[in-house]
Amino acid sequence: MEGLIPLVNRLQDAFAALGQSCLLDLPQIAVVGGQSAGKSSVLENCVSRDFLPRGSGIVTRRPLVLQLITAKTEYAEFLHCKGRKFTDFDEVRQEIEVETDRITGLNKGISSIPINLRIYSPHVLSLTLIDLPGITKVPVGDQPPDIEQQIRDMIMQFISRENCLILAVTPANTDLANSDALKLAKEVDPQGLRTIGVITKLDLMDEGTDAREILENKLLPLRRGENVQLPIFFAVQKVVWIRAVFGSPGGEPNQLTNHIRDTLPAFRSKLQSQLLSIEHEVEVYKNFRPEDPTRKTKALLQMVQQFSVDFEKRIEGSGDQVDTLELSGGAKINRIFHERFPFELVKMEFNEKELRREISYAIKNIHGIRQVTGLFTPDMAFEAIVKKQIVKLKGPCLKSVDLVMQELINTVKKCTKKLATYPRLCEETERIVASYIREREEKTKDQVLLLIDIQVSYINTNHEDFIGFANAQQRSSQVNKSAVGNQVIRKGWLTINNIGIMKGGSKEYWFVLTAESLSWYKDDE
């Protein structure tokens, strides 16, 4: 068990060296409290040294991962200053301030990028604590208006993890029920299973009051630490409470060690699951050779091929990423054909009065000086009017082509997002494919106009859409007759008398009566 905390420390250092937050839910202790709650005193009591920045407002503006290691000599090391040992703890304070300003600037802003500090000393317990920014209510200086929410989000990012112990620091001279630290702790740990309460500033309590009920764990019961038969709230009086909560060097295991031991099985299972997943991803690159001159070409071809597959899936509708916010890709193109195009046809201006006037002029112009007679419209006049209406289809058709092309361009842009890591490749892929689509756009429009011109060039008046009234009536009669021609009205046994020369004779037949005929048979088969 002695190697558990150093192991977790190494994991934290490894992730910090990579420049990213730890994706694993490592066991740790997070120190939470409001401004001026005494968090710095708690941490400095753990070290028996004054090494933290002091001042008004938000002093801790980046998470401080404080790794304490029991050793014979006393010194400090920063992960960002590897190889440099700090023996003067005033210099440690200055380095924390400088490193904080390097990331957050001088305007009292905050950052979630941690500072890793390791302290070796014979006066410390092997322990790892994470000091988080103090909870504030009012922004100061150039701080953003939502600074309170930013700090809250950062704190919740740490304490919402199941493997994180919460060290909730509350001053004794405030109402415990209004403790910001305990409120946040209760949101993520309502049963108090992983919350350790710490009371500070007992010497500032009002005269005639005491913290007995708090120290006896009666006012706000917390269950963390029941196994060691000690109350959970401890007064910060030098280092006595530290021994009580966290054990002693070489003595019983401390709270963090016990916590690591309790969470180790689940942590190991999760780690193995992630390891298998990563090994599966690495398998793809098993034969990858960085020195291979063709690797760039292979990688390029793979990305282009993936782009092609993604584009096809978005059009065909079998993509692995389904957009639930709006229609896109093939679905939107389908909507253009089946909803937008008919809508554009309906929008076409149609003035019946104007159309009748045009028909009248067309008929008169066809007859010339002859008297207009007959009941039927001359073919030439009919064709002239129909052709003019057909030509009007060009507008909605071309507009539909424009809409489809625009959606194809948008689909290309969405598919190239996966190439964002390579801006030049992303830009060129989008440009080349978009240019090709625009080339096809011109040919598509030419084809659409050609189809309309073909319809205009020959009007097939023998088509069923152009049959006259008499033919329409006859056709309708034939359709109705054929629809009921074989319809059976009634069937059954029928007795027929006086058949043929056999006067007075009778016989039973199976008959079938339809709309057109009466048939009879010897039997029902």
Side-chain angles (χ1 to χ4, degrees):
M1 288 296 174
E2 293 180 358
L4 290 179
I5 293 178
L7 174 63
V8 174
N9 288 345
R10 289 199 297 273
L11 288 172
Q12 288 174 332
D13 289 349
F15 279 102
L18 291 174
Q20 62 182 25
S21 59
C22 180
L23 301 179
L24 298 174
D25 192 3
L26 294 175
Q28 55 194 9
I29 299 178
V31 183
V32 182
Q35 284 189 31
S36 305
K39 290 194 299 94
S40 298
S41 299
V42 172
L43 294 173
E44 289 178 341
N45 269 304
C46 293
V47 182
S48 299
R49 287 282 189 176
D50 295 336
F51 67 97
L52 292 174
R54 299 298 178 99
S56 60
I58 303 177
V59 179
T60 304
R61 293 184 284 131
R62 289 175 58 183
L64 176 66
V65 180
L66 180 61
Q67 300 171 356
L68 306 181
I69 301 172
T70 306
K72 295 181 179 179
T73 57
E74 187 177 51
Y75 62 93
E77 287 182 340
F78 286 94
L79 186 63
H80 63 273
C81 298
K82 272 195 170 181
R84 181 182 175 187
K85 294 183 179 181
F86 293 80
T87 56
D88 186 346
F89 282 83
D90 287 335
E91 294 182 0
V92 172
R93 180 187 300 109
Q94 294 173 5
E95 183 61 30
I96 293 175
E97 293 174 346
V98 170
E99 180 62 15
T100 298
D101 292 340
R102 186 178 68 85
I103 298 297
T104 63
L106 302 175
N107 61 349
K108 297 293 183 180
I110 64 172
S111 170
S112 60
I113 302 174
I115 299 174
N116 287 65
L117 172 62
R118 183 173 294 176
I119 295 180
Y120 299 83
S121 173
H123 310 298
V124 302
L125 309 173
S126 292
L127 195 63
T128 301
L129 301 166
I130 300 179
D131 184 23
L132 298 172
I135 304 166
T136 185
K137 300 292 183 181
V138 181
V140 296
D142 296 331
Q143 290 177 348
D146 63 338
I147 187 69
E148 179 184 0
Q149 187 62 41
Q150 289 187 27
I151 294 175
R152 177 188 169 85
D153 292 343
M154 184 191 300
I155 293 173
M156 295 298 285
Q157 180 183 346
F158 283 88
I159 66 175
S160 59
R161 300 173 183 173
E162 288 296 324
N163 285 353
C164 178
L165 291 181
I166 306 169
L167 200 64
V169 181
T170 304
N173 60 340
T174 60
D175 185 4
L176 193 66
N178 295 323
S179 168
D180 293 325
L182 290 175
K183 281 182 181 178
L184 290 178
K186 198 164 186 178
E187 287 186 27
V188 296
D189 182 32
Q191 297 181 352
L193 297 176
R194 51 189 182 90
T195 302
I196 301 172
V198 178
I199 295 295
T200 61
K201 304 185 178 181
L202 284 172
D203 55 323
L204 298 180
M205 293 187 71
D206 295 335
E207 186 176 352
T209 60
D210 58 60
R212 182 170 180 174
E213 287 188 352
I214 300 175
L215 297 175
E216 290 179 351
N217 202 30
K218 294 179 180 179
L219 185 60
L220 187 64
L222 300 174
R223 298 173 60 184
R224 186 73 202 176
E226 284 180 354
N227 293 335
V228 295
Q229 301 298 318
L230 289 171
I232 302 308
F233 281 98
F234 297 90
V236 179
Q237 299 291 343
K238 300 184 180 178
V239 296
V240 177
W241 75 274
I242 302 174
R243 307 293 189 215
V245 177
F246 300 117
S248 57
E252 293 295 325
N254 61 47
Q255 287 276 1
L256 183 57
T257 302
N258 290 334
H259 180 57
I260 295 175
R261 180 191 60 199
D262 295 340
T263 59
L264 191 58
F267 178 71
R268 178 181 294 173
S269 175
K270 184 176 181 180
L271 187 61
Q272 289 176 342
S273 175
Q274 293 189 8
L275 180 62
L276 290 174
S277 176
I278 292 174
E279 286 178 346
H280 179 71
E281 294 180 12
V282 172
E283 187 70 19
V284 180
Y285 303 95
K286 182 172 64 175
N287 299 321
F288 180 76
R289 297 178 180 177
E291 68 279 1
D292 185 0
T294 64
R295 65 184 179 88
K296 293 183 178 180
T297 303
K298 292 178 181 178
L300 176 64
L301 290 176
Q302 286 179 350
M303 287 185 284
V304 172
Q305 184 180 12
Q306 185 61 46
F307 165 81
S308 176
V309 171
D310 291 343
F311 183 81
E312 182 179 357
K313 285 183 176 181
R314 284 184 177 271
I315 299 299
E316 295 295 332
S318 57
D320 52 354
Q321 295 182 351
V322 180
D323 190 349
T324 60
L325 300 178
E326 61 179 358
L327 287 181
S328 62
K332 190 166 185 178
I333 292 174
N334 179 71
R335 184 179 182 180
I336 292 172
F337 286 142
H338 292 89
E339 295 183 23
R340 187 62 185 269
F341 179 61
F343 176 71
E344 293 296 329
L345 294 180
V346 173
K347 283 173 57 180
M348 289 173 54
E349 293 184 2
F350 179 79
N351 189 325
E352 185 176 355
K353 184 177 180 180
E354 181 69 18
L355 181 61
R356 289 182 179 275
R357 186 179 61 82
E358 291 179 358
I359 294 174
S360 175
Y361 286 163
I363 293 174
K364 291 177 180 179
N365 289 330
I366 291 297
H367 283 85
I369 61 173
R370 292 170 295 168
Q371 182 67 25
V372 178
T373 60
L375 299 175
F376 301 100
T377 304
D379 289 347
M380 292 181 63
F382 172 77
E383 289 186 7
I385 297 300
V386 171
K387 287 180 180 179
K388 189 173 182 180
Q389 298 303 314
I390 293 176
V391 170
K392 290 182 178 180
L393 295 175
K394 290 184 178 181
C397 291
L398 294 179
K399 185 171 184 178
S400 296
V401 173
D402 289 335
L403 293 173
V404 171
M405 293 303 166
Q406 185 58 48
E407 182 56 30
L408 290 175
I409 298 294
N410 292 339
T411 304
V412 170
K413 292 180 179 179
K414 291 178 180 178
C415 293
T416 53
K417 286 183 179 179
K418 291 185 178 180
L419 306 177
T421 311
Y422 306 95
R424 182 69 182 277
L425 175 62
C426 178
E427 180 182 343
E428 285 299 306
T429 302
E430 186 176 323
R431 183 186 63 81
I432 292 172
V433 178
S435 298
Y436 179 78
I437 290 177
R438 290 191 176 93
E439 289 178 6
R440 307 313 299 176
E441 177 184 6
E442 295 302 320
K443 294 186 178 181
T444 301
K445 288 183 176 180
D446 291 341
Q447 187 69 17
V448 169
L449 294 176
L450 177 61
L451 290 173
I452 295 176
D453 290 339
I454 290 174
Q455 298 297 324
V456 171
S457 65
Y458 177 71
I459 306 298
N460 180 16
T461 55
N462 290 324
H463 192 275
E464 60 182 8
D465 289 347
F466 296 120
I467 60 177
F469 176 76
N471 288 338
Q473 188 178 29
Q474 181 181 356
R475 180 179 177 82
S476 175
S477 176
Q478 291 175 351
V479 170
N480 293 335
K481 188 174 181 180
S482 63
V484 299
N486 295 324
Q487 182 177 355
V488 176
I489 299 175
R490 189 172 181 181
K491 56 185 177 180
W493 290 102
L494 177 68
T495 301
I496 301 179
N497 299 313
N498 299 326
I499 302 178
I501 61 175
M502 298 179 61
K503 301 297 182 181
S506 63
K507 191 174 183 180
E508 287 189 344
Y509 291 90
W510 178 261
F511 78 89
V512 177
L513 177 63
T514 68
E516 293 183 341
S517 64
L518 172 65
S519 305
W520 61 91
Y521 308 92
K522 292 181 179 180
D523 53 49
D524 57 354
E525 295 182 357

